[in-house]
Amino acid sequence: MIPRTTVICLGLAQLISWGTSYYLIGGFGEAIAADLGVSRDLAYGGFSLALLVMGLSSPLVGRLIDRHGGRAVMNIGALLNAAGCVMLALCHGVALYFAAWVCLGLAMRLTLYDAAFAALARLGGVAARRAMSQITLPGGLASTVFWPFGHLIAEHAGWRGAVLAYAACALLTIPLHLSIPHGRHDAQAAVGSPLPRPLARTARQRALAGALYAAIVMGTNFLNAAMSAHMIAILAGLGLAAAAAVWVATLRGIGQSSARLLEVLFGGRLHPLSLNLVACGTLPFAFVAGLFSGEAGIAALVFAFVYGAANGIVTITRGTLPLMLFDPGSYGALVGRLLVPGFIVSAAAPLAYAAVIGRFGELGALWLSLASAVLVAGAAVWLAVAFRSGTARDT
């Protein structure tokens, strides 16, 4: 049993950690580029470097959490998050700028959902599914809280002052991470009922499940990195005023948390395979609405909200699918390896979208997003069909 206090504290820590690291570039990317006198590509290249560091460190971080638990690992990440923000606020050249993003990249892998999911899986095994869903509720509001918060501080103290405030916020997650117990689910399973058999039982099934899971993660991470870095710029480029673009983009966070609340309340009736299929199947419709954002304000609202809702559920199933498909006992190490391609591909997203926007405009970026979303939906259909025998009941 995972303590309720741990779930609440981890949820708050996720809100702060996402807002002060992953969503930082989306709020300050343009201001950073202008202040440092560098191109947009170079400015967003820092975020790409951070995502690459996340990918390269992913297997090691997964093994560390399996071995030592989430408390120490995630608190090291909190310190690195604060240090990276301070470095970023103090930088006036490219070298320190990229060093800050290396620090933030490692911090993100140590503190964000994948680390928290591994920590919960270590504590609860298959029973961690509900806790995984619950910690994403406040986490989904990170952009909704920190984009306007950062924008407000930047108006009075500049982007550097805002990033220093982010560093202080990152340190607040340390006492929250201390709520994570030291135990692990293996000891509980020894006196309880046997663990359910994973859906992928043979070597061939594990290979197929791993490949499709990795493909879904690659596609959704690619889109998430692109939208985190460029959603505000895309909306502004389509004709929205700068302030309006910021507030419309915050609907993404509201959509994420609204969908996650519905999942917590009613999602237990759906197998993660079915839930993943619904979420991935919704992604293309969000970008279809996005194509009309420059012509109708309601389309921009639908784009931000529906994308957030679909992405919010996909984030949950990214954590819960491996509990059903594979042996939960090695969750951290196994998922750490499967996430590597997703992080590496997502590292290209900010730069790729900056290049596409520069050459083909904001609509070109949305067409690329639509094509990527269709591929993700196809992989989700394949995964659901291949393991449909496991969808009859929720294990």
Side-chain angles (χ1 to χ4, degrees), residues 12-395:
L12 292 174
Q14 288 301 298
L15 185 151
I16 297 170
S17 297
W18 279 91
T20 58
S21 59
Y22 196 93
Y23 290 116
L24 186 153
I25 192 68
F28 305 122
E30 302 296 327
I32 290 173
D35 188 17
L36 296 182
V38 299
S39 67
R40 170 190 279 185
D41 289 358
L42 192 147
Y44 286 98
F47 183 53
S48 293
L49 178 60
L51 295 176
L52 182 61
V53 171
M54 289 181 75
L56 295 176
S57 63
S58 184
L60 174 60
V61 173
R63 291 195 300 271
L64 287 174
I65 294 176
D66 275 346
R67 185 177 305 169
H68 302 291
R71 179 190 294 190
V73 172
M74 296 184 76
N75 269 334
I76 292 172
L79 292 172
L80 290 173
N81 192 355
C85 287
V86 170
M87 292 167 64
L88 198 60
L90 297 178
C91 76
H92 290 277
V94 173
L96 186 56
Y97 179 72
F98 282 114
W101 280 110
V102 169
C103 187
L104 285 170
L106 184 55
M108 288 191 287
R109 183 59 186 92
L110 290 166
T111 58
L112 300 187
Y113 286 141
D114 297 306
F117 290 160
L120 291 173
R122 186 180 188 272
L123 290 172
V126 175
R129 176 187 171 182
R130 182 171 178 82
M132 288 179 178
S133 300
Q134 290 171 334
I135 67 166
T136 66
L137 284 173
L141 293 171
S143 61
T144 303
V145 172
F146 277 88
W147 276 345
F149 173 64
H151 184 71
L152 180 64
I153 296 179
E155 286 184 336
H156 296 89
W159 71 268
R160 295 179 188 274
V163 173
L164 284 175
Y166 279 17
C169 291
L171 293 176
L172 296 177
T173 64
I174 292 176
L176 298 174
H177 292 148
L178 291 176
S179 69
I180 303 173
H182 283 299
R184 61 183 305 144
H185 77 280
D186 298 320
Q188 300 168 12
V191 297
S193 58
L195 292 173
R197 295 180 66 190
L199 298 179
R201 296 166 187 170
T202 68
R204 184 175 180 180
Q205 288 176 332
R206 287 192 292 272
L208 176 62
L212 291 173
Y213 174 81
I216 292 169
V217 170
M218 279 194 291
T220 54
N221 274 13
F222 180 77
L223 290 170
N224 191 33
M227 292 300 105
S228 297
H230 294 288
M231 178 175 273
I232 294 174
I234 287 173
L235 290 169
L238 291 174
L240 274 69
V246 171
W247 286 103
V248 170
T250 61
L251 284 176
R252 166 185 171 169
I254 296 173
Q256 285 184 158
S257 287
S258 298
R260 288 168 180 171
L261 177 60
L262 291 176
E263 198 282 334
V264 168
L265 295 175
F266 308 110
R269 304 173 186 177
L270 287 176
H271 192 279
L273 283 170
S274 302
L275 193 63
N276 183 67
L277 181 59
V278 171
C280 292
T282 303
L283 276 174
F285 295 100
F287 293 107
V288 169
L291 291 171
F292 297 94
S293 295
E295 302 172 15
I298 188 65
L301 300 175
V302 171
F303 163 46
F305 184 86
V306 174
Y307 171 72
N311 186 64
I313 297 299
V314 169
T315 301
I316 292 175
T317 58
R318 188 173 79 192
T320 57
L321 277 175
L323 291 175
M324 307 299 162
L325 293 170
F326 311 111
D327 174 18
S330 56
Y331 183 102
L334 175 62
V335 174
R337 292 195 301 271
L338 292 176
L339 291 174
V340 172
F343 284 130
I344 292 175
V345 169
S346 66
L351 284 174
Y353 270 70
V356 169
I357 292 171
R359 184 167 183 179
F360 302 104
E362 287 74 19
L363 286 177
L366 289 172
W367 279 111
L368 174 60
S369 302
L370 178 58
S372 301
V374 169
L375 292 176
V376 168
V381 170
W382 191 351
L383 185 66
V385 170
F387 296 93
R388 61 185 180 276
S389 61
T391 63
R393 63 186 180 90
D394 194 349
T395 54

